[in-house]
Amino acid sequence: MTYDLTIIGTGPGGYVCAIRAAQLGMKVAVVEKRPKHGGTCLNVGCIPSKALLYASEMFAQAAHDFPALGIVVGAPTLDLPAMMKHKDDTVAANVNGVGFLLKKNKVDVFFGTGSIAAPGKVAVSGEDGKVAELETKNIVIATGSDVTPLPGVTIDEKIVVSSTGALTLDKVPAKLIVVGAGVIGLELGSVWARLGAEVTVVEFLDRILPGMDTEVAKQFQRILDKQGFKFLLSHKVAKVEAGSAGATVTVEPAAGGEAQTLAGDVVLVAIGRRPYTEGLGLEKAGVAMERGRVVIDDRFATNVPGIYAIGDVVRGPMLAHKAEDEGMAVAEILAGQHGHVNYGVIPGVVYTEPEIASVGKTEEELKAAGVAYKIGKFPFTANGRARSMRATDGFVKVLADAATDRVLGVHILGRGAGELIAEAAVLMEFGGSAEDLARTCHAHPTMSEAVKEAALAVDKRAIHT
Ligand code: FAD
Ligand code: NAI
């Protein structure tokens, strides 16, 4: 049998692509080298990290916030194995869900390592050493990404861990050293800080969360300071010496200067992720690569006819929803439709407390591009719902084109910001203006009223400040 489409990798990019292609009438096969579907996101990324972030946040609220709400329960005690079980159950439910959906859509599943034997041929090497060959009209590479290593540092996933090891620690480290103040460092640093670890973050740059709106990042760092995080910005790690009970990390100023040492029970290396293409046979197949990423055109096609690529393995932000949307788009293109992804409107969320959510351009990007813009800001201290939840940290910032009022970017620091950003994304997808947002009726009392007020503030007419 010849498949219409064979997809290598069943992370959010691959499995969504498979389902959409099957919906469109294609005969689809997927190849997955892990024993489970769902990729990085469901197994060792988005889902387990959010399960631990939620549970640890409840723990922190019980410890610090309940008395002010008139709830007296005494100091909470941690049952870490039960918290880990909550995480594992959440992962299992999601992973099983993907298996069910693939079956429901009659997608053929092959477990094993996929490689491109030739255009139109995918070899699947099973754990038993047997190799099967699939004939296929088209191939989509959706093999995702892997941890970027820190040169000279061995990750043993016990003392020196990547995000994967940081999701399965069997006890709370007294001292956790995090290398990299990016999304993983701050999310997983938050989990262990809430459970009692003293967290020190070493960051090469002079700021946290590079790429995010600078004003948001600065205010967020002050909040993390209050939560007990220690930051060593503009510092790089020169050496990590791991023993059986902990590690000594030598750090030095990024610009050069005197080194200092930090002692930690666990060191989390979170300096980014890199595309994963090992063993795929791309070189042999003649697929063009650039700095580790598979090169594609705006139809997700590589330079080799019949071979496409999506998700973390190609350009753009390494985000699950970006991979999913690319998966849908390429399936629609292969079916003769006009699938596309609007890269200008891909929300990004950091799931800390408070959360950070952002869509569109930052002020820094608008300045660099010479775009004239207006700003509307509204603080959660002036929002009734935020006060009622004692969640007044943060603000909403709307950036609109000075001439047309079209919304160019929205940045939110606040509880539940990840949910609030969706209305900004819809507005921007429709090319909406700050006036459109300001004239839309928002339910009271909700955190979303702060989004409306920030839109009103673009025209200097916020009501509650
Ligand atoms: P992946 O999910 O990496 O899937 C690729 C799949 O391909 C894997 O299952 C792999 O086993 C398989 N594979 C690889 N090579 C082969 C081969 N040769 N043969 C067969 N199979 C192969 N993103 C968000 O949007 N929100 C979040 O909250 C978020 N949290 C994260 C937290 C952590 C700790 C991490 C590490 C990442 C997080 N991400 C998050 C990023 C997100 O996980 C990725 O962007 C997303 O998984 C990319 O999807 P993908 O389908 O491109 O690749
Ligand atoms: P990141 O790119 O977000 O952050 C890495 C940080 O490490 C940067 O601040 C960088 O300046 C710093 N750094 C790099 N080299 C360094 C060094 N030698 N010493 C000190 N600091 C150094 O990468 P991170 O946090 O590892 O996450 C990887 C990717 O996973 C993210 O970019 C994102 O795409 C995805 N992700 C998304 C999440 C979400 O959407 N909520 C959650 C977690 C991961």
Side-chain angles (χ1 to χ4, degrees), residues 49-50 150 179-185 187 202-205 207 209-210 235-237 270-273 317-319 321 349-351:
S49 60
K50 267 78 251 181
L150 189 56
V179 187
V183 199
I184 291 181
E187 286 189 359
V202 183
E203 165 60 48
F204 185 76
L205 300 175
R207 57 164 294 172
L209 293 174
H235 274 74
K236 62 181 179 203
V237 170
I271 59 164
R273 293 182 63 81
M318 288 184 168
L319 295 172
H321 41 285
V349 179
V350 188
Y351 296 84

PDB file of all heavy atoms in Angstrom, residues 49-50 150 179-185 187 202-205 207 209-210 235-237 270-273 317-319 321 349-351, ligand 2:
ATOM      1  N   SER A  49       4.920  19.999  33.107  1.00  0.00           N
ATOM      2  CA  SER A  49       5.352  21.219  33.812  1.00  0.00           C
ATOM      3  C   SER A  49       4.141  21.995  34.327  1.00  0.00           C
ATOM      4  O   SER A  49       4.160  22.523  35.440  1.00  0.00           O
ATOM      5  CB  SER A  49       6.238  22.101  32.919  1.00  0.00           C
ATOM      6  OG  SER A  49       5.562  22.515  31.761  1.00  0.00           O
ATOM      7  N   LYS A  50       3.055  22.025  33.532  1.00  0.00           N
ATOM      8  CA  LYS A  50       1.869  22.760  34.000  1.00  0.00           C
ATOM      9  C   LYS A  50       1.188  22.040  35.161  1.00  0.00           C
ATOM     10  O   LYS A  50       0.618  22.677  36.055  1.00  0.00           O
ATOM     11  CB  LYS A  50       0.894  22.991  32.849  1.00  0.00           C
ATOM     12  CG  LYS A  50       1.102  24.313  32.164  1.00  0.00           C
ATOM     13  CD  LYS A  50       2.270  24.353  31.204  1.00  0.00           C
ATOM     14  CE  LYS A  50       3.448  25.141  31.620  1.00  0.00           C
ATOM     15  NZ  LYS A  50       4.529  25.154  30.622  1.00  0.00           N
ATOM     16  N   LEU A 150      25.199  22.449  27.739  1.00  0.00           N
ATOM     17  CA  LEU A 150      26.140  23.493  28.139  1.00  0.00           C
ATOM     18  C   LEU A 150      27.530  22.886  27.929  1.00  0.00           C
ATOM     19  O   LEU A 150      27.835  21.853  28.533  1.00  0.00           O
ATOM     20  CB  LEU A 150      25.888  23.830  29.620  1.00  0.00           C
ATOM     21  CG  LEU A 150      26.585  25.020  30.240  1.00  0.00           C
ATOM     22  CD1 LEU A 150      26.303  26.307  29.484  1.00  0.00           C
ATOM     23  CD2 LEU A 150      26.131  25.182  31.694  1.00  0.00           C
ATOM     24  N   VAL A 179      20.586  27.512  35.409  1.00  0.00           N
ATOM     25  CA  VAL A 179      21.402  28.209  34.407  1.00  0.00           C
ATOM     26  C   VAL A 179      20.470  28.611  33.269  1.00  0.00           C
ATOM     27  O   VAL A 179      19.938  27.757  32.560  1.00  0.00           O
ATOM     28  CB  VAL A 179      22.543  27.311  33.881  1.00  0.00           C
ATOM     29  CG1 VAL A 179      23.473  28.115  32.974  1.00  0.00           C
ATOM     30  CG2 VAL A 179      23.313  26.676  35.026  1.00  0.00           C
ATOM     31  N   GLY A 180      20.240  29.919  33.111  1.00  0.00           N
ATOM     32  CA  GLY A 180      19.345  30.427  32.075  1.00  0.00           C
ATOM     33  C   GLY A 180      18.051  30.964  32.657  1.00  0.00           C
ATOM     34  O   GLY A 180      17.277  30.219  33.245  1.00  0.00           O
ATOM     35  N   ALA A 181      17.819  32.289  32.489  1.00  0.00           N
ATOM     36  CA  ALA A 181      16.580  32.912  32.996  1.00  0.00           C
ATOM     37  C   ALA A 181      15.552  33.007  31.885  1.00  0.00           C
ATOM     38  O   ALA A 181      14.923  34.045  31.673  1.00  0.00           O
ATOM     39  CB  ALA A 181      16.879  34.287  33.570  1.00  0.00           C
ATOM     40  N   GLY A 182      15.395  31.900  31.127  1.00  0.00           N
ATOM     41  CA  GLY A 182      14.363  31.840  30.090  1.00  0.00           C
ATOM     42  C   GLY A 182      13.105  31.207  30.656  1.00  0.00           C
ATOM     43  O   GLY A 182      12.903  31.140  31.873  1.00  0.00           O
ATOM     44  N   VAL A 183      12.257  30.723  29.738  1.00  0.00           N
ATOM     45  CA  VAL A 183      10.950  30.214  30.147  1.00  0.00           C
ATOM     46  C   VAL A 183      11.076  28.992  31.054  1.00  0.00           C
ATOM     47  O   VAL A 183      10.430  28.909  32.104  1.00  0.00           O
ATOM     48  CB  VAL A 183      10.117  29.830  28.901  1.00  0.00           C
ATOM     49  CG1 VAL A 183       8.659  29.745  29.261  1.00  0.00           C
ATOM     50  CG2 VAL A 183      10.322  30.822  27.794  1.00  0.00           C
ATOM     51  N   ILE A 184      11.921  28.033  30.670  1.00  0.00           N
ATOM     52  CA  ILE A 184      12.041  26.809  31.477  1.00  0.00           C
ATOM     53  C   ILE A 184      12.641  27.129  32.842  1.00  0.00           C
ATOM     54  O   ILE A 184      12.140  26.674  33.871  1.00  0.00           O
ATOM     55  CB  ILE A 184      12.902  25.752  30.736  1.00  0.00           C
ATOM     56  CG1 ILE A 184      12.139  25.238  29.510  1.00  0.00           C
ATOM     57  CG2 ILE A 184      13.290  24.598  31.675  1.00  0.00           C
ATOM     58  CD1 ILE A 184      12.847  24.178  28.700  1.00  0.00           C
ATOM     59  N   GLY A 185      13.704  27.924  32.862  1.00  0.00           N
ATOM     60  CA  GLY A 185      14.354  28.254  34.132  1.00  0.00           C
ATOM     61  C   GLY A 185      13.383  28.883  35.120  1.00  0.00           C
ATOM     62  O   GLY A 185      13.368  28.524  36.306  1.00  0.00           O
ATOM     63  N   GLU A 187       9.910  28.863  34.946  1.00  0.00           N
ATOM     64  CA  GLU A 187       8.756  28.007  35.283  1.00  0.00           C
ATOM     65  C   GLU A 187       9.182  26.910  36.268  1.00  0.00           C
ATOM     66  O   GLU A 187       8.578  26.744  37.336  1.00  0.00           O
ATOM     67  CB  GLU A 187       8.156  27.364  34.025  1.00  0.00           C
ATOM     68  CG  GLU A 187       7.355  28.354  33.168  1.00  0.00           C
ATOM     69  CD  GLU A 187       6.585  27.668  32.043  1.00  0.00           C
ATOM     70  OE1 GLU A 187       6.665  26.430  31.896  1.00  0.00           O
ATOM     71  OE2 GLU A 187       5.901  28.391  31.284  1.00  0.00           O
ATOM     72  N   VAL A 202      21.357  31.900  37.202  1.00  0.00           N
ATOM     73  CA  VAL A 202      22.524  32.518  36.560  1.00  0.00           C
ATOM     74  C   VAL A 202      22.157  32.776  35.101  1.00  0.00           C
ATOM     75  O   VAL A 202      21.776  31.848  34.376  1.00  0.00           O
ATOM     76  CB  VAL A 202      23.751  31.567  36.612  1.00  0.00           C
ATOM     77  CG1 VAL A 202      24.971  32.249  36.006  1.00  0.00           C
ATOM     78  CG2 VAL A 202      24.026  31.107  38.036  1.00  0.00           C
ATOM     79  N   GLU A 203      22.229  34.032  34.679  1.00  0.00           N
ATOM     80  CA  GLU A 203      21.806  34.385  33.304  1.00  0.00           C
ATOM     81  C   GLU A 203      22.920  35.174  32.626  1.00  0.00           C
ATOM     82  O   GLU A 203      23.455  36.119  33.195  1.00  0.00           O
ATOM     83  CB  GLU A 203      20.498  35.190  33.356  1.00  0.00           C
ATOM     84  CG  GLU A 203      20.117  35.933  32.088  1.00  0.00           C
ATOM     85  CD  GLU A 203      19.922  35.055  30.856  1.00  0.00           C
ATOM     86  OE1 GLU A 203      19.229  34.030  30.944  1.00  0.00           O
ATOM     87  OE2 GLU A 203      20.487  35.392  29.799  1.00  0.00           O
ATOM     88  N   PHE A 204      23.215  34.773  31.405  1.00  0.00           N
ATOM     89  CA  PHE A 204      24.277  35.396  30.628  1.00  0.00           C
ATOM     90  C   PHE A 204      23.967  36.874  30.312  1.00  0.00           C
ATOM     91  O   PHE A 204      24.829  37.732  30.400  1.00  0.00           O
ATOM     92  CB  PHE A 204      24.448  34.598  29.329  1.00  0.00           C
ATOM     93  CG  PHE A 204      25.592  35.053  28.494  1.00  0.00           C
ATOM     94  CD1 PHE A 204      26.896  34.728  28.843  1.00  0.00           C
ATOM     95  CD2 PHE A 204      25.388  35.828  27.365  1.00  0.00           C
ATOM     96  CE1 PHE A 204      27.968  35.158  28.075  1.00  0.00           C
ATOM     97  CE2 PHE A 204      26.443  36.268  26.601  1.00  0.00           C
ATOM     98  CZ  PHE A 204      27.737  35.929  26.955  1.00  0.00           C
ATOM     99  N   LEU A 205      22.723  37.142  29.962  1.00  0.00           N
ATOM    100  CA  LEU A 205      22.348  38.518  29.578  1.00  0.00           C
ATOM    101  C   LEU A 205      22.084  39.381  30.818  1.00  0.00           C
ATOM    102  O   LEU A 205      22.038  38.872  31.941  1.00  0.00           O
ATOM    103  CB  LEU A 205      21.112  38.493  28.675  1.00  0.00           C
ATOM    104  CG  LEU A 205      21.288  37.719  27.365  1.00  0.00           C
ATOM    105  CD1 LEU A 205      19.972  37.644  26.599  1.00  0.00           C
ATOM    106  CD2 LEU A 205      22.367  38.359  26.489  1.00  0.00           C
ATOM    107  N   ARG A 207      19.306  40.720  31.625  1.00  0.00           N
ATOM    108  CA  ARG A 207      17.862  40.737  31.886  1.00  0.00           C
ATOM    109  C   ARG A 207      17.320  39.308  31.864  1.00  0.00           C
ATOM    110  O   ARG A 207      17.981  38.401  31.359  1.00  0.00           O
ATOM    111  CB  ARG A 207      17.144  41.553  30.808  1.00  0.00           C
ATOM    112  CG  ARG A 207      17.416  41.013  29.405  1.00  0.00           C
ATOM    113  CD  ARG A 207      16.446  41.531  28.385  1.00  0.00           C
ATOM    114  NE  ARG A 207      15.111  41.036  28.640  1.00  0.00           N
ATOM    115  CZ  ARG A 207      14.024  41.444  28.000  1.00  0.00           C
ATOM    116  NH1 ARG A 207      14.117  42.357  27.076  1.00  0.00           N
ATOM    117  NH2 ARG A 207      12.838  40.936  28.276  1.00  0.00           N
ATOM    118  N   LEU A 209      14.151  36.665  30.668  1.00  0.00           N
ATOM    119  CA  LEU A 209      13.211  36.467  29.549  1.00  0.00           C
ATOM    120  C   LEU A 209      13.528  37.318  28.320  1.00  0.00           C
ATOM    121  O   LEU A 209      12.705  38.160  27.900  1.00  0.00           O
ATOM    122  CB  LEU A 209      11.780  36.761  30.014  1.00  0.00           C
ATOM    123  CG  LEU A 209      11.185  35.799  31.042  1.00  0.00           C
ATOM    124  CD1 LEU A 209       9.814  36.308  31.499  1.00  0.00           C
ATOM    125  CD2 LEU A 209      11.057  34.383  30.479  1.00  0.00           C
ATOM    126  N   PRO A 210      14.696  37.122  27.719  1.00  0.00           N
ATOM    127  CA  PRO A 210      15.003  37.902  26.520  1.00  0.00           C
ATOM    128  C   PRO A 210      13.924  37.695  25.449  1.00  0.00           C
ATOM    129  O   PRO A 210      13.394  36.609  25.292  1.00  0.00           O
ATOM    130  CB  PRO A 210      16.357  37.341  26.054  1.00  0.00           C
ATOM    131  CG  PRO A 210      16.581  36.093  26.822  1.00  0.00           C
ATOM    132  CD  PRO A 210      15.757  36.172  28.063  1.00  0.00           C
ATOM    133  N   HIS A 235      26.086  37.004  33.980  1.00  0.00           N
ATOM    134  CA  HIS A 235      27.081  36.029  34.444  1.00  0.00           C
ATOM    135  C   HIS A 235      27.009  34.766  33.598  1.00  0.00           C
ATOM    136  O   HIS A 235      25.938  34.404  33.128  1.00  0.00           O
ATOM    137  CB  HIS A 235      26.827  35.645  35.913  1.00  0.00           C
ATOM    138  CG  HIS A 235      27.473  36.586  36.872  1.00  0.00           C
ATOM    139  ND1 HIS A 235      26.988  37.852  37.095  1.00  0.00           N
ATOM    140  CD2 HIS A 235      28.583  36.451  37.651  1.00  0.00           C
ATOM    141  CE1 HIS A 235      27.767  38.461  37.979  1.00  0.00           C
ATOM    142  NE2 HIS A 235      28.748  37.641  38.332  1.00  0.00           N
ATOM    143  N   LYS A 236      28.145  34.134  33.439  1.00  0.00           N
ATOM    144  CA  LYS A 236      28.132  32.864  32.710  1.00  0.00           C
ATOM    145  C   LYS A 236      28.756  31.774  33.566  1.00  0.00           C
ATOM    146  O   LYS A 236      29.548  32.062  34.480  1.00  0.00           O
ATOM    147  CB  LYS A 236      28.855  32.997  31.372  1.00  0.00           C
ATOM    148  CG  LYS A 236      30.299  33.349  31.475  1.00  0.00           C
ATOM    149  CD  LYS A 236      30.909  33.478  30.103  1.00  0.00           C
ATOM    150  CE  LYS A 236      32.378  33.859  30.255  1.00  0.00           C
ATOM    151  NZ  LYS A 236      32.963  34.493  29.128  1.00  0.00           N
ATOM    152  N   VAL A 237      28.370  30.547  33.261  1.00  0.00           N
ATOM    153  CA  VAL A 237      28.887  29.411  34.010  1.00  0.00           C
ATOM    154  C   VAL A 237      30.199  28.968  33.362  1.00  0.00           C
ATOM    155  O   VAL A 237      30.243  28.693  32.161  1.00  0.00           O
ATOM    156  CB  VAL A 237      27.857  28.262  33.998  1.00  0.00           C
ATOM    157  CG1 VAL A 237      28.450  26.991  34.563  1.00  0.00           C
ATOM    158  CG2 VAL A 237      26.619  28.687  34.773  1.00  0.00           C
ATOM    159  N   ALA A 270      19.114  25.183  31.573  1.00  0.00           N
ATOM    160  CA  ALA A 270      17.958  25.585  30.747  1.00  0.00           C
ATOM    161  C   ALA A 270      18.375  26.754  29.873  1.00  0.00           C
ATOM    162  O   ALA A 270      17.917  27.884  30.043  1.00  0.00           O
ATOM    163  CB  ALA A 270      16.781  25.956  31.648  1.00  0.00           C
ATOM    164  N   ILE A 271      19.278  26.448  28.926  1.00  0.00           N
ATOM    165  CA  ILE A 271      19.809  27.531  28.077  1.00  0.00           C
ATOM    166  C   ILE A 271      19.259  27.454  26.652  1.00  0.00           C
ATOM    167  O   ILE A 271      19.827  28.019  25.738  1.00  0.00           O
ATOM    168  CB  ILE A 271      21.357  27.515  28.066  1.00  0.00           C
ATOM    169  CG1 ILE A 271      21.895  26.166  27.553  1.00  0.00           C
ATOM    170  CG2 ILE A 271      21.928  27.818  29.449  1.00  0.00           C
ATOM    171  CD1 ILE A 271      23.359  26.223  27.152  1.00  0.00           C
ATOM    172  N   GLY A 272      18.143  26.757  26.486  1.00  0.00           N
ATOM    173  CA  GLY A 272      17.499  26.719  25.172  1.00  0.00           C
ATOM    174  C   GLY A 272      17.340  25.301  24.650  1.00  0.00           C
ATOM    175  O   GLY A 272      17.745  24.334  25.310  1.00  0.00           O
ATOM    176  N   ARG A 273      16.699  25.177  23.506  1.00  0.00           N
ATOM    177  CA  ARG A 273      16.513  23.868  22.859  1.00  0.00           C
ATOM    178  C   ARG A 273      16.995  23.960  21.419  1.00  0.00           C
ATOM    179  O   ARG A 273      17.061  25.048  20.849  1.00  0.00           O
ATOM    180  CB  ARG A 273      15.036  23.457  22.918  1.00  0.00           C
ATOM    181  CG  ARG A 273      14.587  23.186  24.357  1.00  0.00           C
ATOM    182  CD  ARG A 273      13.144  22.734  24.411  1.00  0.00           C
ATOM    183  NE  ARG A 273      12.880  21.491  23.729  1.00  0.00           N
ATOM    184  CZ  ARG A 273      13.113  20.266  24.233  1.00  0.00           C
ATOM    185  NH1 ARG A 273      13.626  20.138  25.442  1.00  0.00           N
ATOM    186  NH2 ARG A 273      12.830  19.188  23.543  1.00  0.00           N
ATOM    187  N   PRO A 317       9.218  30.347  16.591  1.00  0.00           N
ATOM    188  CA  PRO A 317       9.273  30.024  18.024  1.00  0.00           C
ATOM    189  C   PRO A 317       9.029  28.542  18.283  1.00  0.00           C
ATOM    190  O   PRO A 317       8.252  27.901  17.574  1.00  0.00           O
ATOM    191  CB  PRO A 317       8.127  30.867  18.620  1.00  0.00           C
ATOM    192  CG  PRO A 317       7.233  31.193  17.477  1.00  0.00           C
ATOM    193  CD  PRO A 317       8.087  31.213  16.247  1.00  0.00           C
ATOM    194  N   MET A 318       9.723  27.996  19.280  1.00  0.00           N
ATOM    195  CA  MET A 318       9.549  26.578  19.629  1.00  0.00           C
ATOM    196  C   MET A 318       8.374  26.461  20.595  1.00  0.00           C
ATOM    197  O   MET A 318       8.563  26.384  21.820  1.00  0.00           O
ATOM    198  CB  MET A 318      10.833  26.023  20.233  1.00  0.00           C
ATOM    199  CG  MET A 318      11.930  25.844  19.203  1.00  0.00           C
ATOM    200  SD  MET A 318      13.379  25.082  19.937  1.00  0.00           S
ATOM    201  CE  MET A 318      14.321  24.659  18.483  1.00  0.00           C
ATOM    202  N   LEU A 319       7.171  26.486  20.041  1.00  0.00           N
ATOM    203  CA  LEU A 319       5.956  26.432  20.858  1.00  0.00           C
ATOM    204  C   LEU A 319       5.013  25.377  20.309  1.00  0.00           C
ATOM    205  O   LEU A 319       4.907  25.197  19.092  1.00  0.00           O
ATOM    206  CB  LEU A 319       5.251  27.798  20.852  1.00  0.00           C
ATOM    207  CG  LEU A 319       6.031  28.947  21.499  1.00  0.00           C
ATOM    208  CD1 LEU A 319       5.329  30.273  21.271  1.00  0.00           C
ATOM    209  CD2 LEU A 319       6.226  28.684  23.000  1.00  0.00           C
ATOM    210  N   HIS A 321       1.689  25.264  20.191  1.00  0.00           N
ATOM    211  CA  HIS A 321       0.563  25.716  19.353  1.00  0.00           C
ATOM    212  C   HIS A 321       1.040  26.156  17.985  1.00  0.00           C
ATOM    213  O   HIS A 321       0.292  26.067  17.005  1.00  0.00           O
ATOM    214  CB  HIS A 321      -0.241  26.820  20.061  1.00  0.00           C
ATOM    215  CG  HIS A 321       0.593  27.828  20.785  1.00  0.00           C
ATOM    216  ND1 HIS A 321       1.215  27.555  21.975  1.00  0.00           N
ATOM    217  CD2 HIS A 321       0.920  29.101  20.487  1.00  0.00           C
ATOM    218  CE1 HIS A 321       1.876  28.636  22.382  1.00  0.00           C
ATOM    219  NE2 HIS A 321       1.718  29.573  21.487  1.00  0.00           N
ATOM    220  N   VAL A 349       3.244  32.415  26.320  1.00  0.00           N
ATOM    221  CA  VAL A 349       2.828  32.494  27.727  1.00  0.00           C
ATOM    222  C   VAL A 349       3.906  31.895  28.620  1.00  0.00           C
ATOM    223  O   VAL A 349       4.456  30.826  28.306  1.00  0.00           O
ATOM    224  CB  VAL A 349       1.500  31.724  27.953  1.00  0.00           C
ATOM    225  CG1 VAL A 349       1.073  31.794  29.418  1.00  0.00           C
ATOM    226  CG2 VAL A 349       0.397  32.265  27.052  1.00  0.00           C
ATOM    227  N   VAL A 350       4.207  32.562  29.724  1.00  0.00           N
ATOM    228  CA  VAL A 350       5.084  31.991  30.747  1.00  0.00           C
ATOM    229  C   VAL A 350       4.180  31.687  31.940  1.00  0.00           C
ATOM    230  O   VAL A 350       3.545  32.591  32.496  1.00  0.00           O
ATOM    231  CB  VAL A 350       6.198  32.983  31.158  1.00  0.00           C
ATOM    232  CG1 VAL A 350       7.206  32.295  32.071  1.00  0.00           C
ATOM    233  CG2 VAL A 350       6.895  33.548  29.931  1.00  0.00           C
ATOM    234  N   TYR A 351       4.120  30.390  32.315  1.00  0.00           N
ATOM    235  CA  TYR A 351       3.087  29.948  33.270  1.00  0.00           C
ATOM    236  C   TYR A 351       3.549  30.029  34.726  1.00  0.00           C
ATOM    237  O   TYR A 351       3.458  29.064  35.475  1.00  0.00           O
ATOM    238  CB  TYR A 351       2.631  28.533  32.917  1.00  0.00           C
ATOM    239  CG  TYR A 351       1.956  28.466  31.570  1.00  0.00           C
ATOM    240  CD1 TYR A 351       2.703  28.342  30.405  1.00  0.00           C
ATOM    241  CD2 TYR A 351       0.568  28.557  31.450  1.00  0.00           C
ATOM    242  CE1 TYR A 351       2.092  28.294  29.158  1.00  0.00           C
ATOM    243  CE2 TYR A 351      -0.048  28.508  30.214  1.00  0.00           C
ATOM    244  CZ  TYR A 351       0.717  28.380  29.079  1.00  0.00           C
ATOM    245  OH  TYR A 351       0.118  28.341  27.847  1.00  0.00           O
TER     246      TYR A 351
HETATM  247  P1  NAI B   2      15.099  30.129  26.444  1.00  0.00           P
HETATM  248  O1  NAI B   2      15.659  30.414  25.116  1.00  0.00           O
HETATM  249  O2  NAI B   2      13.727  30.565  26.772  1.00  0.00           O
HETATM  250  O3  NAI B   2      16.045  30.756  27.567  1.00  0.00           O
HETATM  251  C1  NAI B   2      17.382  30.419  27.673  1.00  0.00           C
HETATM  252  C2  NAI B   2      18.084  31.454  28.520  1.00  0.00           C
HETATM  253  O4  NAI B   2      19.388  31.001  28.801  1.00  0.00           O
HETATM  254  C3  NAI B   2      18.202  32.800  27.823  1.00  0.00           C
HETATM  255  O5  NAI B   2      17.820  33.810  28.728  1.00  0.00           O
HETATM  256  C4  NAI B   2      19.694  32.881  27.486  1.00  0.00           C
HETATM  257  O6  NAI B   2      20.189  34.202  27.457  1.00  0.00           O
HETATM  258  C5  NAI B   2      20.297  32.073  28.615  1.00  0.00           C
HETATM  259  N1  NAI B   2      21.605  31.484  28.334  1.00  0.00           N
HETATM  260  C6  NAI B   2      22.037  30.922  27.178  1.00  0.00           C
HETATM  261  N2  NAI B   2      23.290  30.452  27.348  1.00  0.00           N
HETATM  262  C7  NAI B   2      23.647  30.699  28.631  1.00  0.00           C
HETATM  263  C8  NAI B   2      24.795  30.413  29.413  1.00  0.00           C
HETATM  264  N3  NAI B   2      25.846  29.766  28.892  1.00  0.00           N
HETATM  265  N4  NAI B   2      24.830  30.812  30.701  1.00  0.00           N
HETATM  266  C9  NAI B   2      23.752  31.472  31.242  1.00  0.00           C
HETATM  267  N5  NAI B   2      22.629  31.742  30.551  1.00  0.00           N
HETATM  268  C10 NAI B   2      22.571  31.352  29.271  1.00  0.00           C
HETATM  269  O7  NAI B   2      15.274  28.547  26.643  1.00  0.00           O
HETATM  270  P2  NAI B   2      14.651  27.541  27.693  1.00  0.00           P
HETATM  271  O8  NAI B   2      14.196  28.246  28.906  1.00  0.00           O
HETATM  272  O9  NAI B   2      15.653  26.458  27.823  1.00  0.00           O
HETATM  273  O10 NAI B   2      13.389  26.997  26.924  1.00  0.00           O
HETATM  274  C11 NAI B   2      13.545  26.420  25.629  1.00  0.00           C
HETATM  275  C12 NAI B   2      12.333  26.637  24.798  1.00  0.00           C
HETATM  276  O11 NAI B   2      11.277  25.777  25.208  1.00  0.00           O
HETATM  277  C13 NAI B   2      11.731  28.036  24.928  1.00  0.00           C
HETATM  278  O12 NAI B   2      12.412  28.959  24.128  1.00  0.00           O
HETATM  279  C14 NAI B   2      10.342  27.808  24.437  1.00  0.00           C
HETATM  280  O13 NAI B   2      10.359  27.795  23.035  1.00  0.00           O
HETATM  281  C15 NAI B   2      10.045  26.404  24.948  1.00  0.00           C
HETATM  282  N6  NAI B   2       9.265  26.491  26.196  1.00  0.00           N
HETATM  283  C16 NAI B   2       8.082  27.157  26.197  1.00  0.00           C
HETATM  284  C17 NAI B   2       7.336  27.276  27.349  1.00  0.00           C
HETATM  285  C18 NAI B   2       6.079  28.045  27.320  1.00  0.00           C
HETATM  286  O14 NAI B   2       5.581  28.346  26.250  1.00  0.00           O
HETATM  287  N7  NAI B   2       5.496  28.370  28.481  1.00  0.00           N
HETATM  288  C19 NAI B   2       7.760  26.659  28.602  1.00  0.00           C
HETATM  289  C20 NAI B   2       9.045  26.010  28.509  1.00  0.00           C
HETATM  290  C21 NAI B   2       9.731  25.914  27.336  1.00  0.00           C
END
